[in-house]
Amino acid sequence: MNHGQTVTESLHDHEIAQFEALKEQLRGFWRDFRLNPAMRHTSVIVPSLSVNQEELAKVPGAAYYEERLLFTLIRLKSPGARVIYLSSQPIHPDTIDYYLQLLVGVPASHAKRRLLLLCMQDASPRPLTEKILERPKVIERLQEWIGDPRRAYITCYNSTVLERRLAVKLGIPLNGADPDLLWLGTKSGSRKVFREAGVPLPDGFEDLRTEADVVKALIALRQHHPGLQRAVIKLNEGFSGEGNAVFRYPDPLPSDTKALLEAVHSALDRLDWSHAEETRVSFFRKFSEMGGIVEEYVVGADLKSPSAQLRTRPDGEVQIVSTHDQVLGSPTGQVYLGCRFPADEEYRPLIQEDAQEIGRVIARRGVIGRFGIDFIVFRGEHGGWKRCAVEINLRMGGTTPPFMALEFLTRGEFDQERGMYVSRGKQTFYSATDNLKSPAYRGLLAEDLFDILTQYGVRYDHGSETGVLFYMIGALSEFGKLGVVSIGDTREEADQLYMHTVAILDKETGADPTIGGHLHPLFVHGRPGLE
């Protein structure tokens, strides 16, 4: 071992020790805050997408996903709260005003005085946290603004070694998972957690590394299920379904061992990709770098894709935050497009029960923060619902922003026992997507969007606690894409509000739904439905 390695390891050990101390600092902060919610404190929001950048590049407008955490401005409802929101690129001031004027019970001017926006002026395709760390003056400025580090914490989209390093440099805790525990949220780690929790999961194999591993797993899976027609190959660190490929078994499948190996190996040339630009070479290069799994492609009558969102508190408490029915699309049917809240009441108790068991395992491992669990449910032989857990997202996900919007706009709370959100004595529903897009929407500035909304009265009404809210507005002009949350007193009202809003945008931009690239992801042929 040379001197450089020794120094590097020493610095790493020092960082780990400091990070461990900050965990205790977070527990102390949490105890104090629960006793006094009006306590003065600072929330540092770092919406960095610290994920595999090659996979992230598949998502149009990914740079503007940093705006999805603007709903954390809900924290400004507390008069003792200050928020520091960091971003790679400037956020339009009209967008900030749009959120602040919707805060319940807080004058927008009062909230604005307690909000600090800090932009890195760096559009390069790298994680925001990396950009912050390479700017010492930004670190100094943040430390000055934060003040007492015992009364501050970091919130992030996902936590990696980058976020751990930033927490240590700032001397404030990270309200998120310890990076050493991130393996629990990989596709392989998820399957291990499901087994430990005792919940059903698809048959399959994890901790695979090579193309040869995949071929052997595919053959073994077919031997377990002779009638299996398809299997799913997943990158360990893929997200939103973009890292998945669907394998179709050759028909007929040879019985001779050598011929069988050759047939399965050759069929890898015909994988169904979630992203059009993926290739066998690029996919298995990434597979060798991050590993992955092979599992059965689950089929069944009335198949749905619900999810559960949970939060583990610094004191170890596990809470179910919400459930959703997810809308999936792409050629493989694996990519997240949108959601409806809450999940169907027929199978909601089943996934909540399983989610609670999985949450207990995650909490015992020491995970702190929000995370999601994806399921598949379908009708069994006798009509009852069967389910299996398919993956853990140890981070905020696509269903996080819309639920944060609900909390942002209303005075209600999630009733964990009944699995519903209740405000003013009534149940609340919403439909949401961050994938509403059309080529005709390109060129619309934030000002144009707000002009259209004002002209047609498209808004959220605090009196009825129903209406529409937009997010990820920065992606509109360049990519013709934005997020929408439509909130109603019934599922039907939420869907109707969504359809009405889309119809207005289409009318004002001359959008033609028949043109390629036009996507209304919550609807099939203009009618509500899960794809």
Side-chain angles (χ1 to χ4, degrees):
M1 182 181 296
N2 60 41
H3 177 68
Q5 288 177 309
T6 304
V7 171
T8 300
E9 290 179 2
S10 177
L11 290 172
H12 175 75
D13 292 343
H14 181 64
E15 180 178 292
I16 296 297
Q18 288 183 294
F19 187 73
E20 289 298 319
L22 289 174
K23 289 182 183 178
E24 185 55 42
Q25 187 172 310
L26 180 64
R27 282 187 279 269
F29 170 85
W30 180 245
R31 287 192 297 268
D32 294 345
F33 184 73
R34 296 193 78 171
L35 291 172
N36 178 22
M39 179 181 74
R40 292 180 63 85
H41 65 282
T42 302
S43 180
V44 181
I45 312 299
V46 184
S48 176
L49 278 75
S50 301
V51 297
N52 183 284
Q53 296 299 295
E54 188 175 355
E55 286 298 291
L56 182 63
K58 296 176 179 178
V59 181
Y64 294 99
Y65 277 60
E66 291 181 5
E67 292 186 15
R68 293 201 300 181
L69 290 196
L70 281 172
F71 293 122
T72 55
L73 299 186
I74 188 178
R75 294 169 187 177
L76 294 170
K77 283 185 178 181
S78 171
R82 296 169 70 245
V83 172
I84 301 174
Y85 198 100
L86 295 104
S87 62
S88 294
Q89 300 180 75
I91 300 171
H92 198 292
D94 284 1
T95 298
I96 299 298
D97 291 342
Y98 174 63
Y99 285 99
L100 294 184
Q101 58 93 17
L102 286 169
L103 278 172
V104 180
V106 181
S109 58
H110 191 277
K112 203 167 190 176
R113 287 196 297 271
R114 293 179 283 114
L115 171 64
L116 291 166
L117 301 172
L118 184 57
C119 171
M120 298 302 103
Q121 301 288 343
D122 185 342
S124 60
R126 296 178 297 141
L128 169 61
T129 310
E130 183 179 321
K131 300 170 188 177
I132 299 169
L133 287 168
E134 66 186 22
R135 290 168 166 83
K137 290 296 183 182
V138 168
I139 299 293
E140 292 176 12
R141 194 172 298 126
L142 287 171
Q143 290 171 327
E144 180 182 346
W145 285 344
I146 287 167
D148 186 353
R150 296 170 300 175
R151 295 290 179 264
Y153 63 95
I154 296 174
T155 294
C156 54
Y157 170 80
N158 68 317
S159 54
T160 68
V161 292
L162 293 173
E163 284 69 36
R164 178 172 67 195
R165 190 164 304 135
L166 179 61
V168 169
K169 282 187 175 293
L170 293 177
I172 63 175
L174 176 64
N175 186 25
D178 185 328
D180 286 345
L181 299 174
L182 290 182
W183 67 271
L184 294 166
T186 65
K187 303 302 184 292
S188 292
S190 295
R191 292 179 58 82
K192 295 173 184 178
V193 171
F194 298 153
R195 290 196 191 96
E196 185 175 341
V199 303
L201 71 159
D203 192 9
F205 302 88
E206 61 268 9
D207 292 329
L208 308 178
R209 276 287 168 188
T210 66
E211 191 172 297
D213 291 340
V214 169
V215 170
K216 292 177 183 177
L218 288 167
I219 292 173
L221 194 58
R222 178 61 177 257
Q223 290 170 342
H224 292 177
H225 305 275
L228 190 65
Q229 298 298 310
R230 288 176 288 178
V232 187
I233 309 170
K234 299 181 180 180
L235 298 174
N236 260 342
E237 297 172 31
F239 57 94
S240 296
E242 294 283 4
N244 298 356
V246 174
F247 174 85
R248 297 177 184 272
Y249 284 94
D251 184 22
L253 201 61
S255 56
D256 175 75
T257 302
K258 183 178 179 181
L260 177 61
L261 281 168
E262 290 178 352
V264 171
H265 188 271
S266 177
L268 291 177
D269 282 330
R270 299 183 294 278
L271 290 172
D272 295 333
W273 306 111
S274 293
H275 192 271
E277 295 181 7
E278 191 69 88
T279 67
R280 176 174 177 172
V281 172
S282 63
F283 183 81
F284 281 104
R285 172 181 53 77
K286 288 177 287 189
F287 201 95
S288 67
E289 294 168 356
M290 65 178 74
I293 68 171
V294 165
E295 62 187 18
E296 63 176 314
Y297 188 102
V298 178
V299 296
D302 206 11
L303 190 141
K304 309 287 186 184
S305 301
S307 67
Q309 287 63 52
L310 293 87
R311 178 193 292 122
T312 50
R313 301 288 192 183
D315 59 5
E317 179 187 357
V318 180
Q319 292 181 321
I320 294 179
V321 177
S322 62
T323 63
H324 294 84
D325 278 318
Q326 299 183 103
V327 179
L328 305 181
S330 86
T332 63
Q334 303 276 306
V335 175
Y336 173 83
L337 296 178
C339 64
R340 289 189 174 84
F341 170 86
D344 193 293
E345 60 185 356
E346 287 193 18
Y347 46 75
R348 190 164 65 216
L350 289 175
I351 64 171
Q352 286 193 178
E353 182 180 346
D354 284 351
Q356 194 73 54
E357 293 300 319
I358 295 166
R360 291 191 181 102
V361 173
I362 293 291
R364 285 199 299 268
R365 299 279 188 170
V367 171
I368 294 172
R370 290 178 183 257
F371 60 95
I373 305 165
D374 292 341
F375 293 85
I376 292 175
V377 298
F378 55 93
R379 298 282 186 183
E381 292 180 3
H382 303 291
W385 289 101
K386 301 184 70 174
R387 81 285 186 193
C388 53
V390 290
E391 65 182 61
I392 299 169
N393 296 306
L394 212 58
R395 53 173 170 77
M396 296 187 184
T399 57
T400 305
F403 189 79
M404 292 176 74
L406 189 64
E407 295 177 309
F408 185 92
L409 294 167
T410 70
R411 299 177 185 269
E413 61 183 17
F414 183 70
D415 184 329
Q416 183 169 320
E417 184 174 337
R418 294 188 293 168
M420 61 179 64
Y421 189 91
V422 179
S423 184
R424 300 183 183 179
K426 65 179 182 178
Q427 187 176 357
T428 300
F429 299 80
Y430 64 71
S431 300
T433 179
D434 51 23
N435 280 280
L436 175 60
K437 60 184 179 181
S438 169
Y441 298 171
R442 292 194 188 112
L444 283 179
L445 302 178
E447 298 97 317
D448 301 321
L449 175 65
F450 296 133
D451 283 347
I452 293 171
L453 303 186
T454 302
Q455 177 184 348
Y456 287 91
V458 178
R459 61 189 179 89
Y460 177 80
D461 180 69
H462 283 295
S464 65
E465 291 197 336
T466 62
V468 179
L469 184 68
F470 292 85
Y471 62 106
M472 234 175 63
I473 296 168
L476 184 57
S477 181
E478 183 178 356
F479 295 95
K481 174 179 178 178
L482 76 166
V484 183
V485 185
S486 56
I487 301 170
D489 291 336
T490 63
R491 291 185 188 275
E492 292 74 22
E493 183 180 13
D495 280 339
Q496 287 167 3
L497 284 167
Y498 177 86
M499 286 191 289
H500 177 65
T501 301
V502 171
I504 288 172
L505 288 175
D506 285 355
K507 175 184 176 182
E508 285 298 305
T509 59
D512 184 348
T514 64
I515 295 177
H518 194 281
L519 182 63
H520 293 166
L522 296 184
F523 300 92
V524 180
H525 304 304
R527 292 172 27 182
L530 288 173
E531 295 182 334

